[in-house]
């Protein structure tokens, strides 16, 4: 039996710019960000959405391959944490951030692909078209430099007090666990930024 997990993979700049050999992460991420810009403008939405999904999948699979081959020194698997509820809690945190974008005001100018796609569909259409639903993790690749630093700064600001003020509907017993997970993520991104690395987040399965 398998269970879902979320893995944060740190990719040193050397790997980011040179691997995979046929088209490295830097080029794949650049292609994906070009898709994002075209989607924001409403250009060939269906085709660009499909292309973006393929690019993100290739980035994630390539990062996972490096991890399995022992070529990555730093990673963080949420399922390694003691509580069995950690992964569902993290996915709920990401969903909460998509519902309450004011929690991360610094990131609002960088609306993710999935948020942009959702803005093009009426609620009724969203229910009918599974492809229009957001990826559970939101955006999953962050090139070395500003993108990684931005994630670190943003998640470091998530506290129980801030969650309560901006998302008052959240149950009180979720506030501290959400903030603790956000702090763990911020710490991973802080270390990656200090080593000038990029980060890829992967939703995967592993034996239970």
């Amino acid at each position: 039996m398998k269970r879902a997990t979320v893995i944060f993979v740190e990719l040193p700049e050397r790997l980011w710019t040179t691997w995979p050999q046929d088209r490295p992460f830097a080029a794949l991420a650049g292609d994906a960000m070009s898709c994002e810009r075209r989607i924001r403008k409403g250009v060939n939405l269906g085709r660009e959405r499909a292309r973006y999904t393929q690019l993100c999948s290739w980035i994630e699979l390539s990062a996972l391959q490096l991890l399995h081959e022992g070529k990555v020194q730093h990673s963080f698997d949420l399922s390694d944490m003691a509580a069995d509820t950690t992964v569902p809690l993290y996915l709920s945190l990401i969903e909460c951030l998509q519902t309450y974008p004011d929690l991360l005001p610094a990131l609002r100018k960088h609306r993710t692909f999935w948020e942009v796609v959702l803005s093009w569909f009426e609620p009724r259409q969203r229910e009918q078209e599974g492809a229009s639903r957001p990826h559970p993790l939101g955006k999953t690749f962050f090139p070395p430099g500003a993108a990684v630093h931005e994630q670190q700064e943003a998640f470091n600001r998530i506290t129980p007090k801030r969650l309560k003020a901006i998302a008052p509907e959240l149950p009180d017993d979720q506030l501290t666990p959400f903030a603790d997970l956000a702090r763990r993520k911020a710490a991973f991104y802080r270390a990656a930024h200090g080593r000038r690395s990029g980060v890829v987040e992967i939703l995967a399965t592993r034996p239970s």
Side-chain angles (χ1 to χ4, degrees):
M1 186 174 179
K2 296 183 178 181
R3 58 175 177 168
T5 187
V6 178
I7 307 171
F8 301 85
V9 179
E10 179 184 328
L11 297 173
E13 192 170 15
R14 174 184 57 82
L15 285 175
W16 189 267
T17 56
T18 63
W19 206 90
Q21 292 181 346
D22 55 343
R23 192 156 184 79
F25 290 107
L28 293 170
D31 292 342
M33 287 186 284
S34 294
C35 287
E36 288 180 5
R37 288 191 291 271
R38 287 191 288 272
I39 290 169
R40 288 190 185 97
K41 296 177 182 178
V43 177
N44 296 321
L45 182 60
R47 185 179 69 184
E48 293 299 330
R49 181 179 60 185
R51 184 166 181 262
Y52 186 95
T53 303
Q54 291 173 346
L55 287 164
C56 289
S57 295
W58 183 242
I59 290 171
E60 293 165 34
L61 288 171
S62 299
L64 192 61
Q65 181 182 345
L66 284 174
L67 181 65
H68 287 164
E69 292 177 354
K71 297 178 180 178
V72 172
Q73 289 186 326
H74 303 284
S75 64
F76 173 40
D77 189 330
L78 286 183
S79 65
D80 287 340
M81 298 178 68
D84 291 338
T85 58
T86 301
V87 173
L89 190 67
Y90 179 73
L91 297 179
S92 295
L93 171 61
I94 298 303
E95 183 179 0
C96 175
L97 298 179
Q98 292 171 344
T99 304
Y100 301 97
D102 286 340
L103 282 168
L104 299 181
L107 301 184
R108 293 189 70 181
K109 63 181 182 296
H110 300 302
R111 298 179 65 199
T112 69
F113 160 77
W114 299 107
E115 291 170 318
V116 172
V117 168
L118 284 176
S119 72
W120 290 91
F121 290 87
E122 295 296 328
R124 183 176 58 83
Q125 289 175 307
R126 291 184 206 162
E127 295 174 2
Q128 292 175 349
E129 295 197 30
S132 69
R133 296 182 61 79
H135 187 286
L137 298 184
K139 188 166 182 172
T140 58
F141 64 90
F142 303 92
V148 172
H149 180 65
E150 198 169 54
Q151 287 288 307
Q152 173 229 311
E153 289 289 317
F155 279 84
N156 202 45
R157 296 185 64 212
I158 296 177
T159 63
K161 183 177 180 179
R162 185 172 176 79
L163 284 165
K164 188 64 175 178
I166 296 178
E169 296 87 355
L170 288 176
D172 288 345
D173 61 357
Q174 286 190 348
L175 301 181
T176 297
F178 272 177
D180 288 344
L181 271 176
R183 188 166 56 249
R184 291 289 297 269
K185 176 172 179 172
F188 184 86
Y189 273 78
R190 183 183 306 111
H193 181 62
R195 290 185 283 262
R196 300 180 180 179
S197 299
V199 176
V200 175
E201 299 186 19
I202 305 166
L203 180 62
T205 58
R206 63 181 299 179
S208 59

